[in-house]
Amino acid sequence: MQYRINRRTGDKISEIGMGTAYVVEAVRQEAVRTVRRAYEGGINYFDLAAADGTAFSTFGEALADVRDEVMYQIHFGADYSRVTYGWTLDLDTVKRSIDKQLKDLKTDYINYGFIHCQDESKDWAKYKKNGILEYLLEMKEHGVVKHIGASSHTPAVIQEILDTDLIDMLMFSVNPAYDYNHGEYAYGGVDERTEVYKRCEKLGVGISVMKPFSGGQLLNAKTSPFGKALTLYQCIRYALDRPGVLTVLPGAQSVEEIELLLKYYEQPEEALDYSVIGSFAPPEAGGKCVYCNHCQPCPAGIDIAAVNKFYDLVKIGDEMAREHYLALDKNAADCVACGHCNSRCPFSVDQVGRMKEIRELIP
Ligand code: SF4
Ligand code: SF4
């Protein structure tokens, strides 16, 4: 397992985390074994926006003895009073739900208390008006909640929440289908969604990724909006390559499914190459680097994806990205304009021109 640091909290978070959408579908003891195997495999970050309230006692049973080694995202606005998940903006319901979740989890604290699923501005306004945000902040003051997060599918609402400077973690739906305007939660265009990734990276707000496989649709050629299936591993790499992303949260309902996810780190680079999505990209995505590194090898030894990612962040004023860029062994100054990358890029990026532009901006 590899880990990434949340710059605002210092937490060391596993690149592969776990969501709870599917684990409730397993019989109880298999669900407990699944969660425990995830922990044993190095997964230390769990989202608890479960489809069903039974998930909390499953986690309590699986992880109570190692509670301080794992982190939970718990959602203020997810209601389990009818056992199956419900969404609520009612303060008393939220309070009851949080109390019950903590009891079932056998814990008295929450690593990341989440402003839950705000997809519309009017709901976010109501969330504040109804006192739920205030309650969450009080819980933080009392030390029950360590850090604040937010989940949303909507770039415009995310930008409003980021404006408050309250959150240290964002849960966002990230996959090539949504980024390219396909699927149930493909909110915002490519550029609007990219702005979210870049702003989070600049602010140090970590992104935890929900729906990395677009609800499984991307894994099957019949359901993929591109008519072509991607693998689990291509989707995970795609999400991990977006600026700001710290962890991807796939669901799993068996020990075997956890084993399969953990094999991500055994894959050769070719198996992680997701550049095939270049052939599905909408016109507005053309000519923009997605940091896939399909254009390697560069004869000058430049990590083309890293150079481009840092450059895009420097352009929005991310000074840390400038430092990272300058710390690279090779950068745009080393480009010999051979044109190999231009001929390889499935996104029609004029990388020779980009390298020149980068040299000029960051001498
Ligand atoms: S230039 Fe093209 S192939 Fe190379 S990293 Fe960027 S998008 Fe990928
Ligand atoms: S044009 Fe520059 S960046 Fe691209 S492969 Fe050649 S040396 Fe590397």
Side-chain angles (χ1 to χ4, degrees), residues 181-193:
N181 312 328
H182 292 283
E184 195 184 352
Y185 294 106
Y187 299 165
V190 180
D191 292 339
E192 214 182 334
R193 296 174 66 84

Side-chain angles (χ1 to χ4, degrees), residues 153-156 159 172-173 175-182 185-197 238 282 284-285 288:
H153 302 92
T154 314
Q159 295 290 1
F172 186 43
S173 40
N175 62 60
Y178 294 171
D179 279 354
Y180 287 173
N181 312 328
H182 292 283
Y185 294 106
Y187 299 165
V190 180
D191 292 339
E192 214 182 334
R193 296 174 66 84
T194 304
E195 287 311 311
V196 167
Y197 305 136
Y238 176 83
E284 67 269 29
K288 291 173 189 156

Side-chain angles (χ1 to χ4, degrees), residues 8 11 27 39 43 62 72 79 107 111 132 134 136-137 143 156 166 169 173 180 184 217 242-243 271 286 308 313 332:
R8 290 168 71 108
D11 285 334
V27 293
Y39 158 75
I43 291 176
Y72 293 151
D79 170 29
T107 186
N111 303 83
I132 305 171
E134 201 180 329
L136 177 52
L137 294 174
L166 285 174
M169 202 79 182
S173 40
Y180 287 173
E184 195 184 352
Q217 284 183 326
R242 297 314 96 204
N308 278 268
L313 291 163

Side-chain angles (χ1 to χ4, degrees), residues 180 190-191 278 280-290 345-350:
Y180 287 173
V190 180
D191 292 339
F280 322 131
E284 67 269 29
K288 291 173 189 156
C289 183
V290 300
C345 178
F347 301 86
S348 311
V349 175
D350 172 17

Side-chain angles (χ1 to χ4, degrees), residues 295 297-300 302 304 334-342 351-352 355:
C295 49
C298 163
I302 300 168
I304 296 171
D334 299 290
C335 174
V336 294
C338 70
H340 173 74
C341 48
N342 280 21
Q351 197 52 251
V352 178
M355 287 289 165

Side-chain angles (χ1 to χ4, degrees), residues 3-287:
Y3 297 84
R4 297 183 177 188
I5 305 287
N6 181 312
R7 299 208 315 265
R8 290 168 71 108
T9 66
D11 285 334
K12 192 175 156 196
I13 294 173
S14 54
E15 286 185 338
I16 298 176
M18 185 181 167
T20 36
Y22 304 118
V23 77
V24 290
E25 291 170 24
V27 293
R28 172 67 173 222
Q29 279 319 308
E30 181 62 9
V32 170
R33 276 196 297 273
T34 302
V35 173
R36 190 70 185 190
R37 178 66 189 100
Y39 158 75
E40 287 164 359
I43 291 176
N44 70 355
Y45 199 84
F46 298 88
D47 177 69
L48 292 174
D52 180 321
T54 56
F56 301 98
S57 55
T58 298
F59 273 76
E61 188 176 338
L63 299 177
D65 63 323
V66 292
R67 172 66 184 96
D68 290 347
E69 295 172 47
V70 297
M71 286 166 266
Y72 293 151
Q73 287 188 167
I74 294 192
H75 293 253
F76 286 61
D79 170 29
Y80 297 98
S81 50
R82 289 184 185 82
V83 184
T84 53
Y85 166 80
W87 181 82
T88 182
L89 287 174
D90 177 69
L91 179 59
D92 288 335
T93 308
V94 168
K95 286 183 176 175
R96 276 197 302 276
S97 184
I98 293 294
D99 286 349
K100 173 88 166 61
Q101 289 174 50
L102 288 173
K103 192 165 157 272
D104 287 355
L105 286 165
K106 301 185 186 155
T107 186
D108 56 3
Y109 71 96
I110 294 167
N111 303 83
Y112 288 84
F114 263 59
I115 298 162
H116 177 60
C117 198
Q118 298 302 302
D119 281 353
E120 296 190 28
S121 277
K122 66 175 170 37
D123 292 332
W124 171 225
K126 207 165 169 194
Y127 193 89
K128 291 181 274 189
K129 183 167 168 275
N130 289 3
I132 305 171
L133 179 63
E134 201 180 329
Y135 170 58
L136 177 52
L137 294 174
E138 267 168 29
M139 295 281 268
K140 188 177 177 206
E141 248 177 61
H142 294 145
V144 177
V145 167
K146 305 295 176 199
H147 312 292
I148 308 283
S151 61
S152 173
H153 302 92
T154 314
V157 178
I158 291 170
Q159 295 290 1
E160 280 183 54
I161 295 174
L162 289 173
D163 287 344
T164 65
D165 199 30
L166 285 174
I167 67 166
D168 298 321
M169 202 79 182
L170 168 74
M171 183 159 79
F172 186 43
S173 40
V174 179
N175 62 60
Y178 294 171
D179 279 354
Y180 287 173
N181 312 328
H182 292 283
E184 195 184 352
Y185 294 106
Y187 299 165
V190 180
D191 292 339
E192 214 182 334
R193 296 174 66 84
T194 304
E195 287 311 311
V196 167
Y197 305 136
K198 289 195 292 191
R199 189 171 180 204
C200 283
E201 176 69 46
K202 182 183 171 191
L203 296 174
V205 173
I207 299 175
S208 57
V209 173
M210 58 176 154
K211 304 184 178 69
F213 317 126
S214 187
Q217 284 183 326
L218 277 169
L219 305 178
N220 184 323
K222 289 199 180 102
T223 53
S224 166
F226 307 129
K228 190 170 169 56
L230 297 179
T231 66
L232 289 174
Y233 308 120
Q234 286 171 312
C235 292
I236 291 172
R237 171 57 79 85
Y238 176 83
L240 287 173
D241 276 352
R242 297 314 96 204
V245 169
L246 298 181
T247 182
V248 179
L249 305 167
Q253 48 183 287
S254 65
V255 168
E256 289 70 30
E257 285 183 10
I258 291 290
E259 307 282 2
L260 203 63
L261 289 168
L262 294 174
K263 286 197 167 51
Y264 171 76
Y265 291 105
E266 294 168 22
Q267 304 305 308
E269 272 303 307
E270 314 84 80
L272 302 177
D273 185 340
Y274 52 82
S275 58
V276 63
I277 65 169
S279 51
F280 322 131
E284 67 269 29

